[in-house]
Coordinates of all heavy atoms in Angstrom, one line a residue:
A1 N -68.4 -78.5 -40.5 CA -69.1 -77.2 -40.8 C -68.4 -76.1 -40.0 O -67.9 -76.3 -38.9 CB -70.5 -77.3 -40.6
W2 N -68.5 -74.9 -40.5 CA -68.1 -73.7 -39.6 C -69.1 -72.5 -39.8 O -69.9 -72.6 -40.7 CB -66.7 -73.3 -40.0 CG -66.3 -72.8 -41.4 CD1 -65.6 -73.5 -42.2 CD2 -66.7 -71.7 -42.1 NE1 -65.4 -72.8 -43.4 CE2 -66.1 -71.7 -43.4 CE3 -67.5 -70.5 -41.7 CZ2 -66.3 -70.7 -44.3 CZ3 -67.6 -69.5 -42.7 CH2 -67.0 -69.6 -43.9
I3 N -69.0 -71.6 -38.8 CA -69.9 -70.5 -38.8 C -69.1 -69.3 -38.3 O -68.3 -69.3 -37.3 CB -71.1 -70.8 -37.9 CG1 -72.1 -69.5 -37.9 CG2 -70.7 -71.1 -36.5 CD1 -73.4 -69.8 -37.3
A4 N -69.1 -68.3 -39.1 CA -68.5 -67.0 -38.8 C -69.1 -66.1 -37.8 O -70.4 -66.4 -37.7 CB -68.2 -66.3 -40.2
P5 N -68.6 -65.1 -37.3 CA -69.3 -64.2 -36.4 C -70.4 -63.5 -37.1 O -71.4 -63.2 -36.5 CB -68.1 -63.1 -36.0 CG -66.8 -64.0 -36.2 CD -67.0 -64.9 -37.4
S6 N -70.3 -63.4 -38.4 CA -71.4 -62.7 -39.2 C -72.5 -63.7 -39.5 O -73.7 -63.3 -40.0 CB -70.9 -62.3 -40.5 OG -70.5 -63.4 -41.3
S7 N -72.4 -64.9 -39.0 CA -73.4 -66.1 -39.2 C -73.3 -66.7 -40.6 O -74.1 -67.5 -40.9 CB -74.8 -65.6 -38.8 OG -74.9 -65.3 -37.5
T8 N -72.3 -66.3 -41.3 CA -72.1 -67.0 -42.7 C -71.7 -68.5 -42.3 O -70.8 -68.6 -41.4 CB -71.0 -66.3 -43.5 OG1 -71.4 -64.9 -43.8 CG2 -70.6 -67.1 -44.7
T9 N -72.1 -69.4 -43.1 CA -71.8 -70.8 -42.7 C -71.2 -71.5 -44.0 O -71.3 -71.1 -45.1 CB -73.1 -71.5 -42.3 OG1 -74.0 -71.6 -43.3 CG2 -73.6 -70.9 -41.1
Y10 N -70.6 -72.6 -43.6 CA -70.1 -73.5 -44.6 C -70.2 -74.9 -44.1 O -70.0 -75.1 -42.9 CB -68.5 -73.3 -44.8 CG -67.9 -74.3 -45.6 CD1 -67.9 -74.4 -47.0 CD2 -67.2 -75.4 -45.0 CE1 -67.3 -75.5 -47.6 CE2 -66.5 -76.4 -45.6 CZ -66.7 -76.5 -46.9 OH -66.0 -77.5 -47.6
S11 N -70.5 -75.8 -45.0 CA -70.5 -77.2 -44.6 C -70.0 -78.1 -45.7 O -70.1 -77.7 -46.9 CB -72.0 -77.6 -44.3 OG -72.9 -77.4 -45.3
T12 N -69.4 -79.2 -45.3 CA -68.8 -80.1 -46.3 C -69.9 -80.8 -47.2 O -71.1 -80.9 -46.8 CB -67.9 -81.1 -45.7 OG1 -68.8 -81.9 -44.9 CG2 -66.8 -80.6 -44.9
D13 N -69.6 -81.1 -48.4 CA -70.5 -81.7 -49.2 C -71.2 -83.0 -48.7 O -72.5 -83.2 -49.0 CB -69.8 -82.1 -50.6 CG -69.5 -81.0 -51.5 OD1 -70.0 -79.8 -51.3 OD2 -68.7 -81.1 -52.4
S14 N -70.5 -83.7 -47.8 CA -71.1 -85.0 -47.3 C -72.3 -84.7 -46.3 O -73.1 -85.6 -46.1 CB -70.0 -85.7 -46.6 OG -69.5 -85.0 -45.6
V15 N -72.3 -83.5 -45.8 CA -73.3 -83.1 -44.8 C -74.3 -82.0 -45.3 O -75.3 -81.7 -44.6 CB -72.8 -82.8 -43.4 CG1 -71.9 -84.0 -42.9 CG2 -72.1 -81.5 -43.5
K16 N -73.9 -81.5 -46.4 CA -74.8 -80.3 -46.9 C -76.3 -80.7 -47.1 O -76.5 -81.7 -47.7 CB -74.2 -79.8 -48.2 CG -74.6 -78.3 -48.6 CD -73.6 -77.9 -49.6 CE -72.3 -77.7 -49.1 NZ -71.4 -77.0 -50.1
G17 N -77.1 -79.9 -46.6 CA -78.6 -80.1 -46.7 C -79.1 -81.0 -45.6 O -80.3 -81.2 -45.4
R18 N -78.2 -81.6 -44.8 CA -78.6 -82.4 -43.7 C -78.2 -81.8 -42.3 O -79.0 -82.0 -41.3 CB -78.0 -83.9 -43.8 CG -78.3 -84.6 -45.0 CD -77.8 -86.0 -45.0 NE -76.4 -86.1 -45.0 CZ -75.8 -86.7 -44.0 NH1 -76.4 -87.3 -43.0 NH2 -74.4 -86.8 -44.0
F19 N -77.2 -81.3 -42.2 CA -76.6 -80.7 -41.0 C -76.7 -79.1 -41.0 O -76.4 -78.6 -42.1 CB -75.1 -81.1 -40.7 CG -74.9 -82.5 -40.4 CD1 -75.8 -83.4 -40.6 CD2 -73.6 -82.9 -40.0 CE1 -75.6 -84.8 -40.4 CE2 -73.4 -84.3 -39.7 CZ -74.4 -85.1 -39.8
T20 N -77.0 -78.5 -39.9 CA -77.0 -77.1 -39.8 C -76.2 -76.6 -38.5 O -76.5 -77.0 -37.4 CB -78.5 -76.6 -39.7 OG1 -79.2 -77.1 -40.9 CG2 -78.6 -75.1 -39.6
I21 N -75.3 -75.7 -38.8 CA -74.5 -75.1 -37.7 C -75.1 -73.8 -37.3 O -75.5 -73.1 -38.1 CB -73.0 -75.1 -38.0 CG1 -72.2 -74.7 -36.8 CG2 -72.9 -74.1 -39.2 CD1 -70.7 -74.7 -37.0
S22 N -75.2 -73.5 -36.1 CA -75.7 -72.2 -35.6 C -74.9 -71.8 -34.3 O -74.2 -72.7 -33.7 CB -77.2 -72.3 -35.3 OG -77.4 -73.3 -34.2
R23 N -75.1 -70.6 -33.9 CA -74.3 -70.1 -32.7 C -75.2 -69.2 -31.8 O -76.1 -68.4 -32.4 CB -73.0 -69.5 -33.1 CG -73.2 -68.3 -33.9 CD -71.8 -67.8 -34.5 NE -70.8 -67.4 -33.6 CZ -69.6 -67.3 -33.8 NH1 -69.1 -67.6 -35.0 NH2 -68.7 -67.0 -33.0
D24 N -75.0 -69.2 -30.6 CA -75.6 -68.1 -29.7 C -74.5 -67.6 -28.9 O -74.1 -68.2 -27.9 CB -76.6 -68.9 -28.8 CG -77.4 -68.0 -27.9 OD1 -76.9 -66.9 -27.6 OD2 -78.6 -68.3 -27.5
N25 N -74.1 -66.5 -29.3 CA -72.9 -65.8 -28.7 C -73.3 -65.4 -27.3 O -72.3 -65.4 -26.4 CB -72.5 -64.6 -29.5 CG -71.9 -64.9 -30.8 OD1 -71.3 -66.1 -31.0 ND2 -71.9 -64.0 -31.7
A26 N -74.3 -65.0 -26.9 CA -74.8 -64.7 -25.6 C -74.6 -65.8 -24.6 O -74.4 -65.7 -23.4 CB -76.2 -64.2 -25.6
K27 N -74.9 -67.1 -25.2 CA -74.8 -68.3 -24.3 C -73.4 -69.0 -24.5 O -73.1 -70.0 -23.9 CB -75.8 -69.3 -24.6 CG -77.2 -68.8 -24.3 CD -78.2 -69.8 -24.6 CE -79.7 -69.3 -24.2 NZ -80.8 -70.3 -24.5
N28 N -72.5 -68.4 -25.2 CA -71.2 -69.1 -25.5 C -71.3 -70.5 -26.0 O -70.6 -71.3 -25.6 CB -70.3 -69.0 -24.4 CG -69.9 -67.5 -24.1 OD1 -69.6 -66.7 -24.8 ND2 -69.7 -67.3 -22.6
T29 N -72.3 -70.7 -26.8 CA -72.6 -72.1 -27.3 C -72.8 -72.1 -28.9 O -73.3 -71.2 -29.5 CB -73.9 -72.6 -26.7 OG1 -73.8 -72.4 -25.2 CG2 -74.2 -74.0 -27.1
V30 N -72.2 -73.2 -29.5 CA -72.4 -73.5 -30.8 C -73.2 -74.8 -30.9 O -73.0 -75.7 -30.1 CB -71.0 -73.7 -31.6 CG1 -71.2 -73.9 -33.0 CG2 -70.2 -72.4 -31.3
Y31 N -74.0 -74.9 -32.0 CA -74.8 -76.0 -32.1 C -74.6 -76.7 -33.5 O -74.2 -76.1 -34.5 CB -76.4 -75.7 -32.0 CG -76.7 -75.0 -30.8 CD1 -76.8 -73.5 -30.7 CD2 -77.0 -75.6 -29.5 CE1 -77.1 -72.9 -29.5 CE2 -77.3 -75.0 -28.4 CZ -77.4 -73.6 -28.4 OH -77.7 -73.0 -27.2
L32 N -75.0 -78.1 -33.6 CA -75.0 -78.7 -34.8 C -76.2 -79.6 -34.8 O -76.4 -80.5 -34.2 CB -73.8 -79.6 -35.0 CG -73.7 -80.3 -36.4 CD1 -73.3 -79.2 -37.4 CD2 -72.5 -81.3 -36.4
Q33 N -77.1 -79.1 -35.7 CA -78.4 -79.9 -35.9 C -78.1 -80.9 -37.0 O -77.8 -80.5 -38.1 CB -79.5 -79.0 -36.2 CG -80.8 -79.7 -36.5 CD -81.5 -80.4 -35.3 OE1 -81.4 -79.8 -34.3 NE2 -81.9 -81.6 -35.6
M34 N -78.3 -82.1 -36.6 CA -78.0 -83.2 -37.6 C -79.3 -84.0 -38.0 O -79.9 -84.6 -37.1 CB -77.0 -84.2 -37.1 CG -75.7 -83.4 -36.6 SD -74.4 -84.6 -36.1 CE -75.0 -85.4 -34.7
D35 N -79.7 -84.0 -39.2 CA -80.9 -84.6 -39.6 C -80.6 -85.7 -40.7 O -79.5 -85.6 -41.3 CB -82.0 -83.6 -40.1 CG -82.3 -82.5 -39.2 OD1 -82.6 -83.0 -38.0 OD2 -82.4 -81.4 -39.4
S36 N -81.5 -86.6 -40.9 CA -81.3 -87.6 -42.0 C -79.9 -88.3 -41.8 O -79.2 -88.5 -42.7 CB -81.4 -87.0 -43.4 OG -82.6 -86.3 -43.5
L37 N -79.6 -88.7 -40.6 CA -78.3 -89.3 -40.3 C -78.2 -90.6 -41.0 O -79.2 -91.3 -41.3 CB -78.2 -89.4 -38.7 CG -78.0 -88.1 -38.0 CD1 -78.1 -88.2 -36.5 CD2 -76.4 -87.8 -38.1

């Protein structure tokens, strides 16, 4: 998955609906929430 500076996201079909990418620019951190593994 990727996330743009605008917070637009993309994820591959294999993880769509299960994984969520997010970012916190103030913390210089990117996250990947993975559910239904």
Side-chain angles (χ1 to χ4, degrees):
W2 56 252
I3 182 166
S6 63
S7 294
T8 299
T9 64
Y10 164 84
S11 57
T12 60
D13 287 345
S14 62
V15 306
K16 198 164 293 184
R18 300 188 298 121
F19 291 9
T20 303
I21 188 172
S22 61
R23 64 195 294 163
D24 186 334
N25 292 337
K27 295 182 178 180
N28 293 327
T29 303
V30 181
Y31 304 97
L32 186 68
Q33 177 67 42
M34 306 188 297
D35 299 317
S36 302
L37 283 161

